[in-house]
Amino acid sequence: MNPTRTRVVTVGEVMIELARGADGRFALSCGGDTFSTAIYLARAGVPVAHATALGDDIYSDRILALASAEGVGCDLMLRVPGRLPGLYLADGEPGTTPLFHYWRDSAPARALFELPDWGRVAEGLLTARLIYFSGITLSLFANEGVGRFLAVVELARQHGAKVAFDGNFRPRGWTADAGRTRAVYMEALKRVDIALPTFEDEALLWGDPSPEATVARLQAFGIGEIVVKNGAKGALLAVGGHQTTQTHVQQTHAYVPVPEVVVPVDPTAAGDGFNAGYLAARLAGEAPPEAAGVAHRLAARVIRHRGAIVPRTDAAVH
């Protein structure tokens, strides 16, 4: 990665979160897949900023305050007068995957690359060391916003930035338009250096029969570093066109295993934590197999807690 560029820029929505706790009450917080990854990157000592759009309300103020307290740069968080951030409600019994309900159709983040000041975000991306976004990020934008975003990503990549992408496919965000969804993903994948998909998502969107099939499909786009997350089964790692493990080079069907199988308290943001752990380790110079081990350990910490963000007292990455 280009040593003259120092900052990671994550791109996506930050929403107000209402999550039911063990006592049955709902607690107010905030969340969003790429925002969670930004926080975990910052906790690992990685310079990072988050690009999004917020309103001018007190809840948007709280999002900015949280980002600032966590060391996440706020200079690419645009403010839109008279608008409110999206809201989601997470409801479920402890140890189960929560049911999520969303109110976000008018969230300002959906217009991030159509706002009058979107050029400020573009400038931030052009100077990034690494750009990180997800399928949820792509689902926010209309065609004009997607086009502008991917054009800037392409230009940043030409100038030395690396691009990391988690497919993170959520059908609800794409209004059942499978053709447009796949077309947008394919355009994004042409610009990716590090792919961090979850096999379950890839099977749902593309019909992949196995993680190995996911790797083969992504390698066809020229992606040189791929980590397919597969829950308790581990992660399939492929670098330079060949699948590898910690002990075997260029071996097919090879996984980096989960060090410890953890019964989750809440699986929310496990992938977001994994991605942050992996990218932080890679940015620090760790080899991919060792980085995947770091990622597994952070994901295990995340799922031991309710909500997307682990309390800071238990937030170590290594």
Side-chain angles (χ1 to χ4, degrees), residues 20-42:
R20 189 187 296 274
D23 61 358
R25 298 180 180 181
F26 285 90
L28 182 67
S29 184
C30 61
D33 65 333
T34 56
F35 182 64
S36 297
T37 298
I39 287 177
Y40 290 124
L41 284 170

Side-chain angles (χ1 to χ4, degrees), residues 151-177:
V152 174
V153 168
E154 175 67 21
L155 187 58
R157 196 171 179 232
Q158 291 173 5
H159 286 80
K162 294 294 184 182
V163 178
F165 175 66
D166 179 354
N168 216 359
F169 173 59
R170 299 294 180 267
R172 182 187 291 107
W174 293 93
T175 62
D177 188 345

Side-chain angles (χ1 to χ4, degrees), residues 134-204:
S134 73
I136 293 177
T137 306
L138 295 174
S139 73
L140 297 172
F141 308 140
N143 288 343
E144 183 175 359
V146 168
R148 286 180 174 177
F149 172 54
L150 293 181
V152 174
V153 168
E154 175 67 21
L155 187 58
R157 196 171 179 232
Q158 291 173 5
H159 286 80
K162 294 294 184 182
V163 178
F165 175 66
D166 179 354
N168 216 359
F169 173 59
R170 299 294 180 267
R172 182 187 291 107
W174 293 93
T175 62
D177 188 345
R180 178 177 181 270
T181 304
R182 294 191 184 103
V184 170
Y185 269 71
M186 286 190 287
E187 285 302 312
L189 289 169
K190 295 174 185 177
R191 298 161 170 84
V192 171
D193 299 289
I194 304 171
L196 297 162
T198 298
F199 172 63
E200 183 179 2
D201 296 342
E202 302 299 298
L204 183 61

Side-chain angles (χ1 to χ4, degrees), residues 231-236 245-246 254-260 274 289 292-293 296-297:
K233 296 179 181 179
L236 180 61
T245 61
Q246 202 161 356
Y255 283 83
V256 177
V258 175
E260 176 189 4
F274 182 101
H296 279 316
R297 290 191 291 275

Side-chain angles (χ1 to χ4, degrees), residues 27-219:
L28 182 67
S29 184
C30 61
D33 65 333
T34 56
F35 182 64
S36 297
T37 298
I39 287 177
Y40 290 124
L41 284 170
R43 290 180 179 182
V46 176
V48 59
H50 188 66
T52 192
L54 301 169
D56 59 353
D57 57 291
I58 60 171
Y59 299 106
S60 295
D61 291 342
R62 290 180 182 179
I63 290 171
L64 286 166
L66 173 62
S68 180
E70 290 285 356
V72 175
C74 301
D75 55 298
L76 303 181
M77 294 186 177
L78 307 185
R79 306 296 295 269
V80 183
R83 300 282 288 277
L84 295 168
L87 167 72
Y88 72 93
L89 186 149
D91 194 0
E93 296 296 325
T96 65
T97 300
L99 296 175
F100 291 95
H101 308 275
Y102 295 90
W103 294 264
R104 64 198 295 204
D105 290 347
S106 61
R110 303 183 74 87
L112 179 60
F113 288 92
E114 298 177 61
L115 296 172
D117 204 19
W118 76 273
R120 177 151 60 92
V121 175
E123 290 174 0
L125 294 174
L126 290 174
T127 59
R129 180 184 187 185
L130 174 75
I131 298 168
Y132 171 78
F133 64 101
S134 73
I136 293 177
T137 306
L138 295 174
S139 73
L140 297 172
F141 308 140
N143 288 343
E144 183 175 359
V146 168
R148 286 180 174 177
F149 172 54
L150 293 181
V152 174
V153 168
E154 175 67 21
L155 187 58
R157 196 171 179 232
Q158 291 173 5
H159 286 80
K162 294 294 184 182
V163 178
F165 175 66
D166 179 354
N168 216 359
F169 173 59
R170 299 294 180 267
R172 182 187 291 107
W174 293 93
T175 62
D177 188 345
R180 178 177 181 270
T181 304
R182 294 191 184 103
V184 170
Y185 269 71
M186 286 190 287
E187 285 302 312
L189 289 169
K190 295 174 185 177
R191 298 161 170 84
V192 171
D193 299 289
I194 304 171
L196 297 162
T198 298
F199 172 63
E200 183 179 2
D201 296 342
E202 302 299 298
L204 183 61
L205 178 58
W206 301 101
D208 293 348
S210 66
E212 290 78 12
T214 296
V215 165
R217 179 174 49 78
L218 294 175
Q219 285 178 335

